[in-house]
Amino acid sequence: MLETTQSERLGIFTRALSGNTPQETSADTKTKMRVQNLDFYYGNFRAIAGVTMDIPEKSITAIIGSSGCGKSTLLRTFNRMGDLVGHTRVRGSVTLDGENIYDRNVDVVLVRRRIGMVFQRPNPFPKSIFDNVAYGPRLLGVGGKALEQIVEQSLRDAALWDEVKDKLHQSGLALSGGQQQRLCVARTIAVKPEVILMDEPCSALDPIATYKIEELMIQLRNEYTIVIVTHNMQQAARVSGLTAFMNMNPDRAGVLVEFGPTTQIFTNPAKKETEDYITGRFG
Amino acid sequence: MNQTQNHPRTSAPLLGMSKAHFARRKITNIVMLSLTGAATVLAIIPLLWITLYVTIQGSRFLNIEFFTQLPTPVGVPGGGIVNAIVGTGLVVGVACVIAIPVAIIGAFFAADYPNTPLGLAIRFGTDVLSGIPSIVMGIFAYTIIVLPQRRFSAFAAGVALAIIMLPLVLRTTEEMLKLVPRGLREGSLALGASNWKTSVQVLLPAALNGVVTGIMLAIARAAGEAAPMLFTAFGSTGLVTDLNESTATLPHTIYIYAMSPFKDWQEKAWAAALVLIALVLGLNILARALTWWRARQMGLNY
């Protein structure tokens, strides 16, 4: 009896997975980022404990797990956004192409140029649409015709160009929530980062806007390494190649329970905790 | 439309709400509303009264000459206070050049690193500084600039006013920077912008309305200070554009003229007071207009 219910529940994901066209993750896929024994502390509180995972290049890796288990915190260690909050400490390493981004002589600004981020709430600057996208390239000294081309290409890549091409000089804040989020994606890819981190990018969006962002991610994964934190398990099933499931230890530290190909995590999880979570049964 | 039809209003009384209870609540509401209204009116009365009184007193002696002519000796009709108007502009200009950059850069630090020793020191220091009476600033500028140079100067007056403006501009800027959503800052940093670029290109523009308002209010406050002028700008009957010379200023002129026993000088004091009030009011209105205009430009709704 229980078996049937469970397989029925898993059916949702089978349908979601059928929409997913998983990339071939062959053995020779290059590892883009490698997380090793990562601990993250806010003051004395350990928010992340001993996370180890390899993120392959040009693919989408999803991080799922219940609220407060440290998904966002983990994601924010990947481009050192966690540094911004005072009294934080990191142990272990996060490497990008073999280079530890927490190394003493690493310039955090350069790390963030290579690892971009899209946030939970769309956060366009209170500037025009053009200036929003041009912001990053301008930091690198790009101007004139080249800048215009980058802005147009980035907006096209973010599937926003047709909607905004006639009002590039209007405020980015005048756009709808979904458009704002795509503007933030355009802004991020305008600096051609190697990795794009997405922190629940659809949680503030309606289903249609969510669909558009997912389409966008699937297009972008051919060129970028994407790591997405999501509450929406079907979203993870739809877009990602690999899925990481996180949970909270009794001491409230976030740990990585299971990490593997998305199809396996959703259809044949190795750990009971994972199965309980994705079938909607906790504890 | 449809909703009201589907859910017609019932006239049944709500649970536990007797008629007397309802009446009492209504009366309480009216009483409180009247009280707050009265307090508001009381708060505006001094402003209206002063403005009206000075306008009536001052406008009688106001004419074009008053803005374009130098002062005349006692008893000689005509003449103006162009020297005091230019002097105030000069002194306030010096104060702005000194205070605004320091205040804004200091505010960035205090907002970015609020819990560092230096950040705490900035906040505490500016709070104390804004509580120090302006006459002390005058004596301070007198001691460190006027005495060693052995002359009163517009520059010394500018320094005194700069110290008055500094905490006002710094604290308003800091508060405005803190109101900028954290997401904007993170968005910029995530694009590989340095802290400095983020501050200048994202945070400052987003906070600019408040910053400009703070600057305008600080200017208005500084322009009206008479006490420090006694020790620094000192006063002059001629038109001065040299920072190393003593110069007349509006508040100081008002003080001298109003205290004099001569009727025509006292009349000119009223007119000068009107000019000063108009200047301060004008700056305030300008600050509001700029804020409104920029908010419209950016498509922001605040």
Side-chain angles (χ1 to χ4, degrees), chain B residues 141-202:
Chain B
Y142 178 79
T143 314
I144 64 158
I145 298 172
V146 175
L147 279 184
Q149 291 195 328
R150 299 183 171 280
R151 60 165 175 251
F152 294 106
S153 66
F155 178 71
V159 170
L161 294 188
I163 303 172
I164 293 169
M165 285 177 69
L166 185 71
L168 297 173
V169 177
L170 197 149
R171 284 316 294 271
T172 34
T173 306
E174 189 205 335
E175 292 304 322
M176 289 303 141
L177 288 174
K178 279 196 201 150
L179 288 180
V180 176
R182 218 177 71 163
L184 282 186
R185 183 160 175 245
E186 292 184 341
S188 172
L189 292 174
L191 288 169
S194 59
N195 268 326
W196 168 244
K197 285 270 186 190
T198 302
S199 295
V200 173
Q201 298 202 3
V202 176

Side-chain angles (χ1 to χ4, degrees), chain A residues 185-249:
Chain A
V185 174
R187 185 174 75 180
T188 302
I189 58 184
V191 287
K192 293 256 169 284
E194 296 157 44
V195 181
I196 301 176
L197 308 175
M198 295 186 166
D199 188 359
E200 295 182 39
C202 302
S203 66
L205 306 183
D206 66 41
I208 293 172
T210 300
Y211 172 73
K212 284 187 178 167
I213 298 277
E214 285 180 12
E215 288 277 278
L216 185 54
M217 280 191 270
I218 288 168
Q219 270 174 26
L220 292 176
R221 75 177 175 194
N222 298 319
E223 279 182 74
Y224 301 91
T225 304
I226 298 175
V227 185
I228 176 177
V229 162
T230 178
H231 262 303
N232 184 336
M233 284 185 277
Q234 293 177 52
Q235 180 168 64
R238 280 192 296 264
V239 299
S240 69
L242 292 176
T243 296
F245 170 62
M246 286 184 74
N247 209 348
M248 236 189 290
N249 266 355

